[in-house]
Amino acid sequence: MSTNNINWTEVVKKEARGLNDADLGEVQEIQQEFVITKAGIVDKEVYSIPKNLAERYDGHNLWFNVSKEDAENLYKIKD
């Protein structure tokens, strides 16, 4: 599925999910090439996930074709 049919303004403040319903946090910001998400209550984890990994938006969740492990290893923004 193409990311062209995702209305990027609608996904801000929505949940981001990965493969196997992995919790990737809440969408905070949409940049030119990346979606910035933030997960956690106390220890916040911030991810910068490439837009081209977004598969679909169902009105509640923005779904990415990425595993939780890959998100942690490749897209987590280190403090």
Side-chain angles (χ1 to χ4, degrees), residues 30-58:
I30 304 299
Q31 298 180 344
Q32 181 120 13
E33 300 289 327
F34 297 93
V35 177
I36 308 301
T37 68
K38 190 180 289 184
I41 305 289
V42 178
D43 295 325
K44 302 257 189 234
E45 295 177 328
V46 179
Y47 300 97
S48 179
I49 305 169
K51 272 184 168 179
N52 65 358
L53 292 178
E55 288 193 319
R56 69 188 188 281
Y57 173 61
D58 65 12

Side-chain angles (χ1 to χ4, degrees), residues 15-27:
E15 292 298 313
R17 295 280 182 210
L19 299 174
N20 298 316
D21 202 29
D23 183 0
L24 301 176
E26 181 181 83
V27 176

